[in-house]
Amino acid sequence: MKKSLTILLTLWDRSQYSLNWLENNNYPDYEYFIADGSRGDENFNIFKNEINKNLNYKRYPYDNSFERYLEKILDAIENIKTPYVMISDNDDFINQNGINACLTYLNKNSNIDFISGNIHFVSESKKKFIFLDQFYNFKDLDNDNFNNNLWSMINPYKYVWYSIYRVDLFKKIWHQIKKSKNRNFYTMEIFQSQLSLLLGKFKYLNTCHYIRRTNPITRVKEEEISNEFDFIKTWIKNNGYLNKIYNVDDKILREILAHYLLHYKKLNIKYETEKKYDKYSFQKRLQKIYFFFKKFEINEIRNLINDNYKD
């Protein structure tokens, strides 16, 4: 049976997560493309014996710069043969039930370019996971007003980075990032989300397709995140690109940047914990103390999540 989705795993060292990712995210229903830009051979040694019909691995030059990272992404896109693609990180987990629901919707609705369920969060503790009372809900991005979507994206802040894309749109977005000459890792996630909402039609489904770990080692160095001047300068440059190429209202772009800096001005490694989260609609029915102290295997968490999205 021909597969419709490729999971694009972009690697940059952090090999301590890779084996766990491989054990918990490898489904025969999907294609996988592993784009490895690591410095050392640790990730290669993990994946070299796992290469098979649905898992493809390619070693790239060490992506210690934005240019190298961008070259890796653009080359990886050319190797994707399925109609849909989704980025994953090796410290996170995909949720097959939610992904399949999204794929079914995409197959039935050709006017939709990319789609997302909710993103839930877990925290690792002694090789198991605590199921956190946090998640990203993307419902307010599901409309046709781009300016409203820009505001909704930062209030509270959320990104569509881990959405499921039609490959044509995904490719177009990354080529626009290349043309824009954005060379800041920290603003890339924001700019990628803005371009996605500008160039494609988004759909939200009430499901969960992705589970994020809140306490991993990040590739963005603390000194890079703390460079507020470079962050602001790059965002202003991105605003200029959106205004010049796509006639996006410059006043709105400036107001959004000001709002973001007012609410998220501490650009440091604690950023993940400062984001605002929605609460589970079903959380009141759960025993919060039990979930705070209980540690789960990741498949147990998947089952808990999926049970609460059943009709």
Side-chain angles (χ1 to χ4, degrees):
M1 187 177 186
K2 191 173 182 180
K3 300 174 180 65
S4 62
L5 174 68
T6 296
I7 306 294
L8 174 57
L9 177 65
T10 57
L11 291 177
W12 183 84
D13 294 322
R14 305 195 312 168
S15 58
Q16 65 271 37
Y17 299 121
S18 292
L19 184 59
N20 185 251
W21 182 90
L22 191 59
E23 292 172 344
N24 288 284
N25 291 283
N26 194 1
Y27 295 95
D29 296 341
Y30 310 137
E31 295 283 348
Y32 293 82
F33 189 85
I34 316 301
D36 185 1
S38 300
R39 185 204 305 259
D41 293 330
E42 292 83 1
N43 277 316
F44 169 74
N45 291 331
I46 290 171
F47 284 95
K48 67 179 180 180
N49 295 323
E50 301 296 333
I51 299 172
N52 54 48
K53 290 183 179 179
N54 75 315
L55 196 153
N56 300 286
Y57 172 94
K58 185 171 181 178
R59 186 71 180 269
Y60 290 87
Y62 177 45
D63 56 63
N64 59 341
S65 66
F66 190 95
E67 286 76 11
R68 284 276 182 86
Y69 177 81
L70 188 56
E71 289 172 5
K72 180 177 75 173
I73 291 288
L74 292 173
D75 181 82
I77 293 171
E78 296 303 320
N79 285 274
I80 293 171
K81 307 304 179 185
T82 56
Y84 310 121
V85 60
M86 171 186 172
I87 281 184
S88 177
D89 293 331
N90 70 336
D91 55 311
D92 296 334
F93 306 95
I94 62 176
N95 187 29
Q96 189 180 33
N97 278 28
I99 288 176
N100 288 346
C102 291
L103 293 176
T104 297
Y105 193 92
L106 284 173
N107 286 332
K108 292 180 179 179
N109 296 272
S110 59
N111 62 314
I112 300 301
D113 298 303
F114 66 117
I115 190 168
S116 177
N118 295 323
I119 295 178
H120 288 251
F121 290 81
V122 296
S123 178
E124 186 177 9
S125 177
K126 297 179 179 179
K127 297 185 178 180
K128 287 193 175 184
F129 296 92
I130 298 172
F131 187 24
L132 299 178
D133 182 20
Q134 304 170 350
F135 77 112
Y136 281 162
N137 183 303
F138 298 88
K139 184 176 182 179
D140 53 357
L141 298 180
D142 190 353
N143 66 75
D144 294 325
N145 188 311
F146 175 63
N147 290 338
N148 287 346
N149 285 338
L150 283 179
W151 277 109
S152 296
M153 198 187 93
I154 63 160
N155 192 30
Y157 175 64
K158 48 191 167 292
Y159 40 75
V160 296
W161 182 272
Y162 299 102
S163 297
I164 300 171
Y165 287 82
R166 295 188 188 274
V167 171
D168 288 346
L169 174 63
F170 191 75
K171 183 176 182 179
K172 183 176 182 179
I173 290 166
W174 281 100
H175 277 282
Q176 288 300 308
I177 292 174
K178 180 180 180 181
K179 289 180 180 179
S180 73
K181 302 189 184 303
N182 179 331
R183 297 299 180 263
N184 181 284
F185 277 112
Y186 200 62
T187 60
M188 176 178 62
E189 175 188 277
I190 298 167
F191 192 45
Q192 190 270 353
S193 292
Q194 291 175 326
L195 285 171
S196 297
L197 294 167
L198 175 64
L199 300 175
K201 183 170 177 56
F202 174 74
K203 177 64 182 177
Y204 162 78
L205 280 190
N206 186 33
T207 185
C208 167
H209 74 296
Y210 200 72
I211 302 169
R212 292 218 67 192
R213 189 188 314 229
T214 62
N215 52 351
I217 299 169
T218 176
R219 75 160 291 161
V220 184
K221 298 178 182 177
E222 186 171 356
E223 60 267 24
E224 291 175 344
I225 296 176
S226 62
N227 188 345
E228 292 194 36
F229 177 76
D230 186 57
F231 173 85
I232 296 170
K233 181 177 68 173
T234 305
W235 192 321
I236 292 172
K237 187 176 181 180
N238 293 343
N239 284 351
Y241 186 83
L242 293 173
N243 174 257
K244 180 180 179 180
I245 304 301
Y246 295 107
N247 296 315
V248 179
D249 192 319
D250 183 61
K251 181 181 178 182
I252 291 176
L253 291 171
R254 285 186 279 109
E255 289 174 348
I256 287 172
L257 172 58
H259 177 88
Y260 182 94
L261 293 175
L262 179 65
H263 290 85
Y264 306 101
K265 61 183 178 180
K266 292 184 179 180
L267 305 180
N268 55 44
I269 208 68
K270 296 180 180 178
Y271 178 78
E272 285 287 342
T273 64
E274 295 174 359
K275 293 176 181 175
K276 297 180 180 179
Y277 299 98
D278 295 318
K279 297 292 183 181
Y280 291 105
S281 60
F282 58 85
Q283 187 65 29
K284 292 180 181 179
R285 304 196 305 270
L286 300 177
Q287 298 177 2
K288 292 185 179 181
I289 296 177
Y290 171 77
F291 279 98
F292 180 79
F293 290 103
K294 173 70 174 176
K295 296 178 179 62
F296 298 93
E297 300 289 347
I298 193 62
N299 280 333
E300 292 177 307
I301 289 179
R302 283 185 175 120
N303 290 336
L304 286 169
I305 291 172
N306 292 333
D307 284 346
N308 283 282
Y309 282 106
K310 288 181 178 177
D311 294 333

